[in-house]
Amino acid sequence: MKDLLHQLKIGSVTLDNNILLAPMAGVTDLPFRLLCREQEAGLVCMEMVSAKAILYKNKNTESLLTIHPQEGPVSLQLFGSDPKILSEMARQIEERPFSILDINMGCPGAQGGGQRRRIGADETAEAGGGDSDGRGESREEAGHRQDTKRI
């Protein structure tokens, strides 16, 4: 097992190892992330945070944004479909102690009929399109609906 572990570098962040905790809604809260860091996870990811929830000062969002000094490095995943709101909320939270900010503008998969555009790592948050699934609604408006197809 030790042969599989190695340092990992993501941008300017160097992780002690390559064991990463993925963001999972309802699972990766602060106590769980602290447990994973105690078990030597190289990076812990917070639950997805809605840019609109920050904008509208949703009362539950502040607890999702809480980072404990002992849990770093931490990745925060900010999601939304409006590039202007995303970029403004990213600026608003930039002083928080996360190491990596992961911007999620929706799945680029071919489940709808709308146009899609992948955002390159070197492009700004102001670039990119509107709705993420081609249905004319944001992820928040869709209520995090997941489409299922039966074969």
Side-chain angles (χ1 to χ4, degrees), residues 78-121:
L78 186 64
F79 76 88
S81 60
D82 186 317
K84 290 179 181 161
I85 293 173
L86 270 169
S87 64
E88 184 56 37
M89 295 308 101
R91 279 188 211 97
Q92 184 174 316
I93 65 171
E94 71 183 329
E95 297 302 319
R96 293 184 181 256
F98 55 85
S99 305
I100 297 171
L101 179 59
D102 178 8
I103 302 289
N104 183 331
M105 293 186 75
C107 178
Q111 55 190 12
Q115 293 184 350
R116 287 166 180 65
R117 180 171 183 266
R118 285 203 160 160
I119 305 295

Short mmCIF file of all heavy atoms in Angstrom, two decimals, residues 78-121:
data_model
loop_
_atom_site.label_atom_id
_atom_site.label_comp_id
_atom_site.label_asym_id
_atom_site.label_seq_id
_atom_site.Cartn_x
_atom_site.Cartn_y
_atom_site.Cartn_z
N LEU A 78 -17.53 25.52 -5.30
CA LEU A 78 -18.55 26.55 -5.46
C LEU A 78 -19.31 26.24 -6.75
O LEU A 78 -18.70 26.06 -7.80
CB LEU A 78 -17.88 27.92 -5.54
CG LEU A 78 -18.77 29.15 -5.56
CD1 LEU A 78 -19.57 29.27 -4.25
CD2 LEU A 78 -17.92 30.40 -5.77
N PHE A 79 -20.64 26.16 -6.68
CA PHE A 79 -21.38 25.85 -7.90
C PHE A 79 -22.43 26.89 -8.22
O PHE A 79 -22.91 27.61 -7.35
CB PHE A 79 -22.01 24.45 -7.84
CG PHE A 79 -23.24 24.34 -6.99
CD1 PHE A 79 -24.50 24.60 -7.53
CD2 PHE A 79 -23.15 23.94 -5.68
CE1 PHE A 79 -25.64 24.48 -6.75
CE2 PHE A 79 -24.29 23.81 -4.89
CZ PHE A 79 -25.54 24.08 -5.43
N GLY A 80 -22.75 26.96 -9.48
CA GLY A 80 -23.79 27.85 -9.98
C GLY A 80 -23.72 27.90 -11.49
O GLY A 80 -22.81 27.34 -12.10
N SER A 81 -24.69 28.59 -12.10
CA SER A 81 -24.71 28.66 -13.56
C SER A 81 -24.52 30.08 -14.08
O SER A 81 -24.36 30.26 -15.28
CB SER A 81 -26.04 28.10 -14.08
OG SER A 81 -27.12 28.86 -13.56
N ASP A 82 -24.52 31.05 -13.19
CA ASP A 82 -24.37 32.44 -13.60
C ASP A 82 -22.93 32.88 -13.38
O ASP A 82 -22.49 33.02 -12.23
CB ASP A 82 -25.33 33.32 -12.81
CG ASP A 82 -25.32 34.77 -13.28
OD1 ASP A 82 -24.23 35.31 -13.54
OD2 ASP A 82 -26.41 35.35 -13.36
N PRO A 83 -22.15 33.10 -14.44
CA PRO A 83 -20.74 33.45 -14.29
C PRO A 83 -20.51 34.71 -13.46
O PRO A 83 -19.54 34.78 -12.71
CB PRO A 83 -20.25 33.65 -15.73
CG PRO A 83 -21.23 32.92 -16.57
CD PRO A 83 -22.53 32.97 -15.85
N LYS A 84 -21.39 35.68 -13.57
CA LYS A 84 -21.22 36.93 -12.80
C LYS A 84 -21.40 36.68 -11.31
O LYS A 84 -20.61 37.17 -10.49
CB LYS A 84 -22.18 38.00 -13.31
CG LYS A 84 -21.81 38.51 -14.68
CD LYS A 84 -22.77 39.55 -15.18
CE LYS A 84 -22.31 39.97 -16.56
NZ LYS A 84 -23.30 40.60 -17.35
N ILE A 85 -22.41 35.93 -10.94
CA ILE A 85 -22.63 35.61 -9.53
C ILE A 85 -21.48 34.76 -9.00
O ILE A 85 -20.96 35.00 -7.91
CB ILE A 85 -23.99 34.91 -9.31
CG1 ILE A 85 -25.14 35.87 -9.62
CG2 ILE A 85 -24.10 34.36 -7.88
CD1 ILE A 85 -26.51 35.22 -9.59
N LEU A 86 -21.07 33.76 -9.78
CA LEU A 86 -19.95 32.90 -9.36
C LEU A 86 -18.69 33.71 -9.11
O LEU A 86 -18.02 33.53 -8.08
CB LEU A 86 -19.67 31.83 -10.42
CG LEU A 86 -20.41 30.53 -10.29
CD1 LEU A 86 -20.22 29.69 -11.55
CD2 LEU A 86 -19.98 29.76 -9.08
N SER A 87 -18.34 34.58 -10.02
CA SER A 87 -17.10 35.35 -9.86
C SER A 87 -17.19 36.30 -8.67
O SER A 87 -16.23 36.43 -7.91
CB SER A 87 -16.73 36.09 -11.15
OG SER A 87 -17.71 37.06 -11.46
N GLU A 88 -18.35 36.92 -8.47
CA GLU A 88 -18.50 37.84 -7.33
C GLU A 88 -18.46 37.10 -6.00
O GLU A 88 -17.82 37.54 -5.04
CB GLU A 88 -19.80 38.64 -7.46
CG GLU A 88 -19.98 39.67 -6.38
CD GLU A 88 -18.84 40.68 -6.27
OE1 GLU A 88 -18.28 41.09 -7.32
OE2 GLU A 88 -18.49 41.05 -5.13
N MET A 89 -19.10 35.95 -5.92
CA MET A 89 -19.10 35.18 -4.68
C MET A 89 -17.71 34.58 -4.42
O MET A 89 -17.28 34.47 -3.28
CB MET A 89 -20.17 34.09 -4.70
CG MET A 89 -21.60 34.63 -4.73
SD MET A 89 -21.97 35.85 -3.45
CE MET A 89 -21.86 37.39 -4.35
N ALA A 90 -16.99 34.21 -5.48
CA ALA A 90 -15.61 33.74 -5.30
C ALA A 90 -14.75 34.84 -4.70
O ALA A 90 -13.95 34.60 -3.80
CB ALA A 90 -15.03 33.27 -6.64
N ARG A 91 -14.94 36.07 -5.18
CA ARG A 91 -14.20 37.21 -4.60
C ARG A 91 -14.60 37.42 -3.14
O ARG A 91 -13.76 37.73 -2.30
CB ARG A 91 -14.47 38.48 -5.40
CG ARG A 91 -13.65 38.60 -6.64
CD ARG A 91 -13.83 39.98 -7.29
NE ARG A 91 -13.66 39.84 -8.71
CZ ARG A 91 -14.65 39.71 -9.60
NH1 ARG A 91 -15.89 39.74 -9.22
NH2 ARG A 91 -14.38 39.56 -10.88
N GLN A 92 -15.88 37.26 -2.84
CA GLN A 92 -16.38 37.50 -1.49
C GLN A 92 -15.80 36.50 -0.48
O GLN A 92 -15.58 36.85 0.67
CB GLN A 92 -17.90 37.42 -1.48
CG GLN A 92 -18.54 37.76 -0.15
CD GLN A 92 -20.05 37.81 -0.26
OE1 GLN A 92 -20.60 38.37 -1.19
NE2 GLN A 92 -20.72 37.21 0.71
N ILE A 93 -15.53 35.26 -0.90
CA ILE A 93 -15.04 34.24 0.04
C ILE A 93 -13.54 33.99 -0.08
O ILE A 93 -13.00 33.14 0.61
CB ILE A 93 -15.80 32.91 -0.14
CG1 ILE A 93 -15.55 32.30 -1.52
CG2 ILE A 93 -17.28 33.09 0.16
CD1 ILE A 93 -16.09 30.90 -1.70
N GLU A 94 -12.84 34.75 -0.93
CA GLU A 94 -11.44 34.44 -1.20
C GLU A 94 -10.52 34.51 0.01
O GLU A 94 -9.45 33.92 0.01
CB GLU A 94 -10.89 35.30 -2.35
CG GLU A 94 -10.68 36.75 -2.01
CD GLU A 94 -10.20 37.54 -3.22
OE1 GLU A 94 -9.50 36.98 -4.08
OE2 GLU A 94 -10.55 38.72 -3.30
N GLU A 95 -10.89 35.22 1.07
CA GLU A 95 -10.05 35.32 2.26
C GLU A 95 -10.23 34.14 3.21
O GLU A 95 -9.50 34.01 4.19
CB GLU A 95 -10.33 36.64 3.01
CG GLU A 95 -9.98 37.87 2.19
CD GLU A 95 -8.51 37.91 1.76
OE1 GLU A 95 -7.64 37.54 2.58
OE2 GLU A 95 -8.25 38.28 0.61
N ARG A 96 -11.17 33.27 2.92
CA ARG A 96 -11.37 32.07 3.76
C ARG A 96 -10.19 31.12 3.57
O ARG A 96 -9.54 31.15 2.52
CB ARG A 96 -12.69 31.41 3.44
CG ARG A 96 -13.87 32.30 3.85
CD ARG A 96 -15.18 31.61 3.60
NE ARG A 96 -16.28 32.46 3.97
CZ ARG A 96 -16.99 32.33 5.10
NH1 ARG A 96 -16.71 31.37 5.94
NH2 ARG A 96 -17.98 33.14 5.36
N PRO A 97 -9.93 30.26 4.55
CA PRO A 97 -8.70 29.45 4.52
C PRO A 97 -8.74 28.17 3.68
O PRO A 97 -8.13 27.17 4.04
CB PRO A 97 -8.48 29.14 6.00
CG PRO A 97 -9.85 29.09 6.57
CD PRO A 97 -10.63 30.15 5.82
N PHE A 98 -9.41 28.17 2.54
CA PHE A 98 -9.35 26.99 1.67
C PHE A 98 -8.10 27.07 0.81
O PHE A 98 -7.60 28.16 0.51
CB PHE A 98 -10.62 26.85 0.81
CG PHE A 98 -10.97 28.05 -0.01
CD1 PHE A 98 -10.40 28.24 -1.25
CD2 PHE A 98 -11.89 28.99 0.46
CE1 PHE A 98 -10.72 29.34 -2.02
CE2 PHE A 98 -12.22 30.09 -0.30
CZ PHE A 98 -11.63 30.27 -1.54
N SER A 99 -7.60 25.92 0.41
CA SER A 99 -6.39 25.85 -0.42
C SER A 99 -6.71 25.84 -1.90
O SER A 99 -5.92 26.31 -2.71
CB SER A 99 -5.59 24.59 -0.07
OG SER A 99 -5.32 24.54 1.30
N ILE A 100 -7.85 25.24 -2.25
CA ILE A 100 -8.25 25.08 -3.65
C ILE A 100 -9.71 25.50 -3.77
O ILE A 100 -10.55 25.11 -2.95
CB ILE A 100 -8.09 23.61 -4.11
CG1 ILE A 100 -6.63 23.20 -4.05
CG2 ILE A 100 -8.67 23.41 -5.51
CD1 ILE A 100 -6.40 21.71 -4.27
N LEU A 101 -10.02 26.29 -4.80
CA LEU A 101 -11.41 26.63 -5.11
C LEU A 101 -11.78 25.92 -6.40
O LEU A 101 -11.19 26.16 -7.45
CB LEU A 101 -11.59 28.14 -5.26
CG LEU A 101 -13.00 28.60 -5.60
CD1 LEU A 101 -13.99 28.16 -4.53
CD2 LEU A 101 -13.04 30.12 -5.79
N ASP A 102 -12.75 25.03 -6.31
CA ASP A 102 -13.24 24.25 -7.44
C ASP A 102 -14.54 24.88 -7.91
O ASP A 102 -15.51 24.94 -7.17
CB ASP A 102 -13.45 22.81 -6.97
CG ASP A 102 -14.01 21.88 -8.02
OD1 ASP A 102 -14.11 22.29 -9.21
OD2 ASP A 102 -14.34 20.74 -7.68
N ILE A 103 -14.55 25.38 -9.15
CA ILE A 103 -15.75 26.01 -9.71
C ILE A 103 -16.52 24.95 -10.50
O ILE A 103 -16.00 24.34 -11.42
CB ILE A 103 -15.39 27.19 -10.66
CG1 ILE A 103 -14.57 28.24 -9.92
CG2 ILE A 103 -16.64 27.78 -11.29
CD1 ILE A 103 -15.32 29.04 -8.90
N ASN A 104 -17.79 24.75 -10.14
CA ASN A 104 -18.64 23.77 -10.80
C ASN A 104 -19.78 24.52 -11.48
O ASN A 104 -20.63 25.09 -10.81
CB ASN A 104 -19.19 22.78 -9.76
CG ASN A 104 -20.01 21.69 -10.37
OD1 ASN A 104 -20.65 21.87 -11.41
ND2 ASN A 104 -20.04 20.54 -9.73
N MET A 105 -19.78 24.49 -12.82
CA MET A 105 -20.84 25.17 -13.59
C MET A 105 -21.77 24.16 -14.26
O MET A 105 -22.46 24.48 -15.21
CB MET A 105 -20.23 26.10 -14.62
CG MET A 105 -19.51 27.27 -13.97
SD MET A 105 -18.94 28.48 -15.16
CE MET A 105 -20.48 29.29 -15.57
N GLY A 106 -21.76 22.93 -13.80
CA GLY A 106 -22.66 21.92 -14.34
C GLY A 106 -21.92 20.89 -15.16
O GLY A 106 -20.76 21.04 -15.51
N CYS A 107 -22.62 19.85 -15.46
CA CYS A 107 -22.05 18.73 -16.20
C CYS A 107 -22.02 19.04 -17.69
O CYS A 107 -23.03 19.43 -18.27
CB CYS A 107 -22.89 17.49 -15.94
SG CYS A 107 -22.33 16.05 -16.86
N PRO A 108 -20.86 18.84 -18.33
CA PRO A 108 -20.79 19.09 -19.77
C PRO A 108 -21.29 17.92 -20.61
O PRO A 108 -21.18 17.94 -21.81
CB PRO A 108 -19.29 19.31 -20.01
CG PRO A 108 -18.63 18.46 -18.98
CD PRO A 108 -19.55 18.53 -17.76
N GLY A 109 -21.88 16.90 -19.97
CA GLY A 109 -22.35 15.72 -20.68
C GLY A 109 -23.47 16.03 -21.65
O GLY A 109 -24.10 17.08 -21.60
N ALA A 110 -23.77 15.12 -22.55
CA ALA A 110 -24.75 15.34 -23.62
C ALA A 110 -26.12 14.81 -23.23
O ALA A 110 -26.69 13.99 -23.92
CB ALA A 110 -24.26 14.68 -24.90
N GLN A 111 -26.70 15.30 -22.10
CA GLN A 111 -28.03 14.80 -21.73
C GLN A 111 -29.15 15.72 -22.21
O GLN A 111 -30.27 15.31 -22.31
CB GLN A 111 -28.12 14.55 -20.24
CG GLN A 111 -27.78 15.73 -19.38
CD GLN A 111 -27.66 15.34 -17.92
OE1 GLN A 111 -27.63 14.18 -17.58
NE2 GLN A 111 -27.60 16.31 -17.06
N GLY A 112 -28.83 16.98 -22.50
CA GLY A 112 -29.84 17.91 -23.02
C GLY A 112 -29.52 18.24 -24.46
O GLY A 112 -28.64 17.66 -25.06
N GLY A 113 -30.21 19.21 -24.99
CA GLY A 113 -29.97 19.57 -26.37
C GLY A 113 -29.26 20.90 -26.53
O GLY A 113 -29.00 21.33 -27.63
N GLY A 114 -28.97 21.58 -25.41
CA GLY A 114 -28.38 22.92 -25.48
C GLY A 114 -26.91 22.91 -25.81
O GLY A 114 -26.24 21.88 -25.77
N GLN A 115 -26.40 24.08 -26.14
CA GLN A 115 -24.98 24.22 -26.41
C GLN A 115 -24.21 24.17 -25.11
O GLN A 115 -24.66 24.62 -24.08
CB GLN A 115 -24.70 25.53 -27.12
CG GLN A 115 -25.26 25.59 -28.51
CD GLN A 115 -24.87 26.89 -29.18
OE1 GLN A 115 -24.33 27.80 -28.57
NE2 GLN A 115 -25.15 26.96 -30.46
N ARG A 116 -23.00 23.63 -25.17
CA ARG A 116 -22.15 23.54 -24.01
C ARG A 116 -20.77 24.06 -24.35
O ARG A 116 -20.33 23.99 -25.48
CB ARG A 116 -22.03 22.10 -23.53
CG ARG A 116 -23.30 21.66 -22.86
CD ARG A 116 -23.32 20.17 -22.70
NE ARG A 116 -24.52 19.71 -22.07
CZ ARG A 116 -25.72 19.79 -22.55
NH1 ARG A 116 -25.93 20.38 -23.70
NH2 ARG A 116 -26.77 19.33 -21.93
N ARG A 117 -20.11 24.56 -23.32
CA ARG A 117 -18.76 25.07 -23.51
C ARG A 117 -17.95 24.70 -22.30
O ARG A 117 -18.34 24.99 -21.18
CB ARG A 117 -18.80 26.59 -23.66
CG ARG A 117 -17.45 27.20 -23.85
CD ARG A 117 -17.61 28.67 -24.19
NE ARG A 117 -16.32 29.24 -24.44
CZ ARG A 117 -15.60 29.86 -23.52
NH1 ARG A 117 -16.05 30.01 -22.32
NH2 ARG A 117 -14.42 30.36 -23.83
N ARG A 118 -16.85 24.03 -22.51
CA ARG A 118 -15.96 23.71 -21.40
C ARG A 118 -15.10 24.91 -21.09
O ARG A 118 -14.60 25.57 -21.99
CB ARG A 118 -15.06 22.53 -21.76
CG ARG A 118 -15.82 21.24 -21.72
CD ARG A 118 -14.86 20.13 -21.52
NE ARG A 118 -15.60 19.00 -21.01
CZ ARG A 118 -15.18 17.78 -21.06
NH1 ARG A 118 -14.01 17.52 -21.58
NH2 ARG A 118 -15.89 16.82 -20.58
N ILE A 119 -14.91 25.18 -19.81
CA ILE A 119 -14.10 26.30 -19.36
C ILE A 119 -12.70 25.77 -19.08
O ILE A 119 -12.54 24.86 -18.27
CB ILE A 119 -14.68 26.94 -18.09
CG1 ILE A 119 -16.13 27.36 -18.28
CG2 ILE A 119 -13.83 28.12 -17.64
CD1 ILE A 119 -16.35 28.43 -19.30
N GLY A 120 -11.71 26.34 -19.73
CA GLY A 120 -10.33 25.95 -19.49
C GLY A 120 -9.82 26.48 -18.18
O GLY A 120 -10.33 27.47 -17.65
N ALA A 121 -8.82 25.83 -17.62
CA ALA A 121 -8.27 26.22 -16.32
C ALA A 121 -7.69 27.63 -16.35
O ALA A 121 -7.65 28.29 -15.32
CB ALA A 121 -7.19 25.23 -15.90
#
